[in-house]
Amino acid sequence: MRVWLIVRWALIAASAVGAFFVPLGPQASPPIGWGALLAIFAFCSLGPLFVLGLQVINPRSPKAWLRPSWHLNPFNFRQPLQFFHLGAYICLAQALVVLVRLVFSQTSFYVEALVPLAMAAGVLLGLKLVMLVFRAKIERGA
């Protein structure tokens, strides 16, 4: 449905616009290092596998999940892959804007700027893992 494509792009654009107002420079105390960034990536990769693994055994869960699509309702919680898919792209939009701002600013590079990118990449990898591990639950040909 075209309306969901528009809603998704509007949310991604809102995230990108919001990223223009994020202060540049490390904000976390203590500062986020490479190890913490790797932990964030790992958590975001394995988190969907754990959360959706619980939904696989939930008797109220639908028989099949649809593959992530830009045209499906991301807020239909009977199709949880859609929500994770949207969330990953929202984080990716924020990451790209912050990194571009960082390139054109006087602020020196800091690891914390990569957190949204690590989250986006982790969730996208997590979705691939979910579709691999729970392939019997994913609708065929969709």
Side-chain angles (χ1 to χ4, degrees), residues 1-141:
M1 194 175 218
R2 185 180 166 129
V3 69
W4 293 116
L5 178 66
I6 294 168
V7 167
R8 284 175 184 252
W9 277 107
L11 291 170
I12 291 168
S15 173
V17 168
F20 279 105
F21 301 101
V22 171
L24 293 179
Q27 303 293 314
S29 179
I32 293 176
W34 292 104
L37 188 69
L38 182 61
I40 290 167
F41 174 76
F43 180 79
C44 289
S45 297
L46 299 176
L49 195 61
F50 174 75
V51 170
L52 296 176
L54 294 175
Q55 290 306 307
V56 166
I57 61 173
N58 180 353
R60 296 175 64 193
S61 178
K63 287 194 185 281
W65 290 332
L66 301 174
R67 292 183 178 277
S69 168
W70 289 88
H71 298 281
L72 296 175
N73 178 357
F75 306 110
N76 176 358
F77 296 117
R78 293 187 54 77
Q79 295 297 327
L81 300 181
Q82 308 308 319
F83 183 76
F84 282 94
H85 183 253
L86 174 62
Y89 280 95
I90 286 173
C91 288
L92 185 59
Q94 180 185 13
L96 293 177
V97 169
V98 168
L99 291 174
V100 168
R101 284 183 59 211
L102 192 59
V103 167
F104 291 105
S105 77
Q106 298 297 324
T107 307
S108 59
F109 175 78
Y110 57 103
V111 177
E112 189 176 328
L114 296 175
V115 167
L117 183 62
M119 292 171 62
V123 171
L124 289 172
L125 176 60
L127 282 173
K128 293 289 185 190
L129 291 173
V130 165
M131 290 190 292
L132 179 68
V133 172
F134 304 120
R135 63 184 163 269
K137 181 85 169 163
I138 307 299
E139 183 173 83
R140 307 232 190 291

